[in-house]
Amino acid sequence: MKRHVIAAAAAGLLATGGAWAQSVEVLHWWTSGGEAAALGVLKKDLEKQGVAWKDMPVAGGGGEAAMTSLRARVTAKNPPTAVQMLGFDIQDWAKQGALGDLNALAAKEGWDKTVPAALQAFSKHNGKWIAAPVNVHSTNWVWANREVLAKAGVNAAPANWDAFVDALDKVQKAGFVALAHGGQAWQEATIFDGVVLATGGVDFYRKALVNKDKASLGSDTMKRAFDRMAQLRKYVDKDFSNRDWNLASAMVIQGKAGFQIMGDWAKGEFINAKKAPGKDFLCFRVPGTQGMVSFNSDQFAMFNVGAAAQDAQIKLASAIMNPSFQSAFNVVKGSVPARTDVPDRAFDDCGKKGMKDLAEANTKGTLVGSMAHGHAVPASVKNAFYDVITQHFNGKMDSAAAVKAMVQAAE
Ligand code: GAL
């Protein structure tokens, strides 16, 4: 094509707000198979609206590395359009005045009526919507390979902690890895969410890990929780150290391991591997936490961007909150919709159970924020808890020392 024709075509595209005129840059840590598949749904939605997607993936489960990259970008006065973010981290950035105002869109689309209060506590700052919640994950789940359990003589989901340990023992004795695990602090902390709930219940979890009550953090109940973490340590394989979470999920998917204790993003890996709940795998709450939900919501925090980028940013926020998107995305991601007005029709049995559990826990007051995933305490305290939990899991301190260290971590 002649140079002048190309220029005219480009001008035309720009003038009509074509693909080149609008783009969004999104920082996230969704780099596993299931996560990338889910994110693909959002990318396609934006491209259909003529908004190009500039991907900024930063690998590292739980998002620690992503938050480090973000700080560098903001320091360089060049923030992404939107960033995947968890709970208290959103509030920290809002306090720094780094986030944009979504109130006009929220009012137009009625977000206040459809997003649960537990999420709004993080999506808004000083009454202003600053993030768009795409889902609700929960961490107190166990994923099990049905065939491995059958071969080990385990015929149903263990109903309580002792039955769970007995089942782990049977699977190990049958020659399989009993507990598939990735030795990273955030993964040990994810297990810890469920173990504290199973050992002390919701009130104890809230007092210790949300309110940082020193008596609870240093209590016998907390010591018992650490003793249970030490029990689990005996059921992981010798190569667990620093394994990525999705590779641990793959061990269960491929029948090398019996169980994984992980948030329901693990379900996204089973779905991505074309496995079916009930037939290939079981999903059940960490034994002893039935009726309780420790949740974390993935929200896209919208950063202050220049006027030129705002229209695309609003299109992104609106696409994230679109009910049919929230169904399509969450079916693939393993989470449940952030909005309460999305039917569970498209979800499989585990997804339907997740939505039912969340609604019930919300009503019964047994819904707590996941400490491991930034919904119980700010990052500084969360990371201090991480250090104690992972040092204990790796035998660097015993349970008595761990509870003392938890009290210090809270200070
Ligand atoms: C969580 C996040 C999930 C998934 C998981 C593993 O914090 O909410 O969407 O990314 O980390 O990386």
Side-chain angles (χ1 to χ4, degrees):
M1 272 168 75
K2 295 265 184 305
R3 185 178 299 281
H4 66 278
V5 172
I6 291 173
L13 258 180
L14 286 171
T16 57
W20 295 352
Q22 293 202 313
S23 74
V24 289
E25 184 184 19
V26 181
L27 192 164
H28 62 86
W29 61 92
W30 287 336
T31 54
S32 78
E35 293 172 329
L39 191 61
V41 180
L42 183 57
K43 285 183 191 175
K44 286 194 195 74
D45 273 3
L46 268 293
E47 277 154 9
K48 264 187 261 166
Q49 298 179 55
V51 179
W53 179 283
K54 205 166 157 236
D55 207 29
M56 191 184 165
V58 179
E64 297 309 308
M67 293 302 104
T68 303
S69 295
L70 171 61
R71 278 189 287 277
R73 285 290 297 269
V74 175
T75 307
K77 301 213 181 330
N78 173 27
T81 316
V83 180
Q84 176 195 354
M85 212 177 272
L86 296 169
F88 278 87
D89 293 341
I90 303 170
Q91 293 299 308
D92 286 348
W93 282 105
K95 282 178 198 134
Q96 294 175 49
L99 304 183
D101 182 348
L102 298 172
N103 265 4
L105 180 66
K108 188 163 88 70
E109 299 187 346
W111 296 359
D112 283 285
K113 286 191 300 294
T114 54
V115 175
L119 268 58
Q120 289 194 34
F122 297 107
S123 315
K124 295 165 85 168
H125 182 70
N126 295 342
K128 207 170 74 167
W129 282 87
I130 37 122
V134 69
N135 67 4
V136 183
H137 274 300
S138 50
T139 56
N140 60 316
W141 283 104
V142 182
W143 311 93
N145 180 297
R146 203 179 148 71
E147 200 181 323
V148 169
L149 266 55
K151 285 178 182 164
V154 177
N155 304 312
N160 56 50
W161 187 263
D162 293 342
F164 186 33
V165 174
D166 181 50
L168 285 160
D169 219 43
K170 283 194 172 113
V171 169
Q172 191 167 65
K173 288 196 167 64
F176 300 94
V177 173
L179 183 65
H181 173 60
Q184 295 167 348
W186 76 269
Q187 293 191 58
E188 272 115 40
T190 302
I191 294 175
F192 191 71
D193 277 354
V195 171
V196 171
L197 278 175
T199 309
V202 165
D203 293 343
F204 175 76
Y205 179 102
R206 268 201 198 101
K207 265 200 286 193
L209 300 182
V210 179
N211 304 334
K212 301 179 291 183
D213 170 62
K214 292 193 177 52
S216 307
L217 284 167
S219 67
D220 281 348
T221 305
M222 186 56 81
K223 183 181 174 304
R224 226 172 26 255
F226 276 102
D227 288 343
R228 286 177 165 178
M229 291 296 286
Q231 272 183 306
L232 293 177
R233 175 67 182 76
K234 295 203 291 283
Y235 293 109
V236 303
D237 64 302
K238 63 179 178 33
D239 303 322
F240 79 98
S241 183
N242 205 31
R243 176 184 288 132
D244 283 339
W245 68 271
N246 53 310
L247 300 183
S249 306
M251 289 166 71
V252 180
I253 290 167
Q254 293 157 11
K256 296 193 178 84
F259 300 98
Q260 182 184 22
I261 301 172
M262 185 47 75
D264 42 17
W265 45 90
K267 218 265 303 242
E269 299 305 297
F270 283 83
I271 299 302
N272 200 43
K274 309 272 182 281
K275 299 298 180 185
K279 178 173 159 295
D280 303 308
F281 67 97
L282 303 178
C283 59
F284 54 92
R285 291 294 174 188
V286 171
T289 73
Q290 293 92 326
M292 308 172 202
V293 173
S294 45
F295 83 94
N296 62 289
S297 169
D298 286 310
Q299 306 209 29
F300 282 95
M302 300 293 160
F303 276 73
N304 273 324
V305 290
Q310 251 155 31
D311 183 50
Q313 186 177 60
I314 292 301
K315 281 183 178 141
L316 171 62
S318 183
I320 288 165
M321 297 305 285
N322 176 298
S324 57
F325 164 72
Q326 290 231 343
S327 180
F329 171 86
N330 283 288
V331 161
V332 177
K333 185 73 173 65
S335 36
V336 304
R339 298 176 64 113
T340 52
D341 59 352
V342 175
D344 70 357
R345 223 178 1 258
F347 291 80
D348 64 24
D349 289 349
C350 291
K352 285 189 169 78
K353 174 173 170 47
M355 290 172 83
K356 184 166 164 286
D357 288 353
L358 179 67
E360 282 173 4
N362 201 25
T363 314
K364 283 178 1 194
T366 55
L367 176 67
V368 290
S370 160
M371 180 282 294
H373 292 268
H375 283 70
V377 287
S380 55
V381 181
K382 178 194 81 169
N383 291 329
F385 284 163
Y386 272 21
D387 287 349
V388 179
I389 296 160
T390 196
Q391 285 184 57
H392 172 267
F393 194 79
N394 288 292
K396 303 269 189 310
M397 62 170 81
D398 65 16
S399 299
V403 295
K404 286 198 184 70
M406 289 295 276
V407 174
Q408 282 148 21
E411 272 146 9

